[in-house]
Amino acid sequence: MLPDKFWRNSIVERPKDNKTELVCHGSAWDMYDGNDFRIKMCTEVTYDDLVIVHHEMGHVYYYIQYKDQPVVFREGANPGFHEAIGDTIALSVSSLPHACGLGLLENSEYEEKMDINYLYMIALQKVAFLPFAYCVDKWRWTIFTDEVTPDTYNSLWWKFRAEIQGIEPPTNREKTDFDPGSKYHVAANVPYIRYFVSFIIQFQFYEAVCLIAGQYDPNDDKRPLHRCDIYDSKEAGIAMRQMMQLGSSVPWPEAMERLTGHREMKTGGLMSYFRPLYIWLKDENKRSKEPVGF
Ligand SMILES: [Zn+2]
């Protein structure tokens, strides 16, 4: 249950007065008094914002669950955990069976084309993101070493973009350009590796709660991970709550173990989730003779 103050103090829409200046990039806030938690975003009715509002609310529910910890422990088990909670829920909310339950889809029977299209869309968001997230902080950490001078900041950015992501700028870049500054988290000095961690462990969390909810069976092709919807599962909710209540009072591997049974960060959940797409892509690339990795 959200405290009244949440609804009173949060900003969920762009102010209509045309006067208020606002950084619209979504954010969530813990005011540390035990009942004042807020989000600030300029929500529009789009699929992207549906995912983002779940992301921000994930932060708020984490704040609420650890509010009784001493102030020093009112943090995520590590920053990646905080970023992963809302995204874990969003994976369930955007699943085809859940969309069907909401009436957004007429039927959600397994159909290869539909499921592969769905997984392809999610992979463009989640898998393509991983080398980008790594690139952002590898660049920032290199800048912090003083091994490079400001006149090479931008060329170093594109060096990493080519090496790590395999992409090039669409136009010529100059020494005076500063492309990484167009990324909010660079300009706002928000560390970024937490998102890399989150995009791995959110699948680890999702796999764990889907098993707990009885919504996923690794030995049954008819119950694949990407079709898991944990809506209404009390057991899944309790498992997430127990992990979140720890805040940062224990080392993160203990919080990980509480929810997933493992102490390490693992890619198995991500691999299981995308397995149907992985198999399809391997076959498709072989058939189409597309050059891979250029
Ligand atoms: Zn966040």
Side-chain angles (χ1 to χ4, degrees):
M1 190 71 88
L2 291 162
D4 287 346
K5 273 189 181 176
F6 172 82
W7 298 108
R8 255 202 320 275
N9 296 329
S10 289
I11 296 174
V12 291
E13 278 184 309
R14 182 188 290 275
K16 292 191 175 76
D17 59 18
N18 283 329
K19 283 195 299 240
T20 312
E21 283 201 41
L22 193 74
V23 175
C24 268
H25 190 94
S27 57
W29 301 85
D30 184 354
M31 298 297 171
Y32 292 98
D33 70 352
N35 67 11
D36 190 354
F37 314 102
R38 311 178 189 184
I39 63 168
K40 183 267 295 163
M41 64 178 284
C42 305
T43 324
E44 285 172 23
V45 184
T46 61
Y47 172 78
D48 284 355
D49 274 5
L50 179 72
V51 172
I52 292 171
V53 79
H54 280 88
H55 176 92
E56 302 305 342
M57 292 307 293
H59 288 305
V60 168
Y61 278 98
Y62 214 153
Y63 301 149
I64 291 173
Q65 290 307 322
Y66 59 52
K67 70 183 172 56
D68 296 322
Q69 289 282 353
V71 169
V72 288
F73 297 142
R74 286 188 219 166
E75 285 179 32
N78 73 34
F81 276 56
H82 230 303
E83 300 304 335
I85 297 297
D87 285 17
T88 304
I89 304 295
L91 284 173
S92 172
V93 169
S94 53
S95 70
L96 295 170
H98 191 80
C100 188
L102 292 176
L104 295 171
L105 208 63
E106 267 175 31
N107 107 59
S108 71
E109 289 301 302
Y110 184 88
E111 201 198 306
E112 200 198 355
K113 252 190 181 170
M114 186 165 75
D115 281 60
I116 295 298
N117 273 339
Y118 175 76
L119 283 172
Y120 210 134
M121 178 186 80
I122 303 290
L124 289 175
Q125 296 162 26
K126 304 288 185 179
V127 182
F129 176 81
L130 288 168
F132 172 71
Y134 179 58
C135 190
V136 172
D137 266 4
K138 188 173 169 61
W139 174 82
R140 184 157 34 190
W141 294 333
T142 309
I143 296 302
F144 288 164
T145 64
D146 284 344
E147 282 163 20
V148 284
T149 49
D151 63 334
T152 57
Y153 283 175
N154 211 53
S155 57
L156 182 72
W157 172 254
W158 283 108
K159 178 176 175 288
F160 287 156
R161 296 269 273 170
E163 283 174 8
I164 300 166
Q165 287 187 273
I167 61 172
E168 289 186 348
T171 60
N172 283 338
R173 311 312 290 143
E174 306 285 342
K175 274 185 197 164
T176 48
D177 293 321
F178 186 61
D179 298 316
S182 64
K183 178 67 190 155
Y184 172 82
H185 301 74
V186 170
N189 199 28
V190 180
Y192 212 69
I193 203 69
R194 60 185 56 178
Y195 299 99
F196 180 87
V197 171
S198 163
F199 276 50
I200 304 283
I201 65 175
Q202 61 188 249
F203 289 96
Q204 204 171 346
F205 292 171
Y206 185 55
E207 184 181 38
V209 290
C210 289
L211 284 168
I212 291 167
Q215 277 280 320
Y216 164 53
D217 181 348
N219 300 311
D220 183 354
D221 285 350
K222 294 196 177 66
R223 296 172 79 79
L225 188 52
H226 71 277
R227 292 193 145 257
C228 150
D229 177 14
I230 58 167
Y231 184 71
D232 242 2
S233 166
K234 282 204 169 52
E235 293 79 10
I238 290 167
M240 286 191 89
R241 189 168 67 197
Q242 284 176 343
M243 189 273 280
M244 289 193 280
Q245 280 174 343
L246 297 169
S248 62
S249 66
V250 295
W252 71 261
E254 268 177 54
M256 177 65 88
E257 191 173 20
R258 185 73 64 96
L259 181 60
T260 69
H262 300 286
R263 295 180 65 84
E264 289 113 35
M265 171 169 158
K266 286 173 183 281
T267 53
L270 186 141
M271 293 304 288
S272 301
Y273 183 93
F274 289 111
R275 181 152 295 121
L277 178 66
Y278 179 70
I279 293 167
W280 181 86
L281 270 176
K282 274 217 299 201
D283 196 44
E284 178 69 18
N285 285 337
K286 211 186 287 170
R287 208 176 35 228
S288 65
K289 299 194 171 61
E290 283 292 331
V292 178
F294 290 92

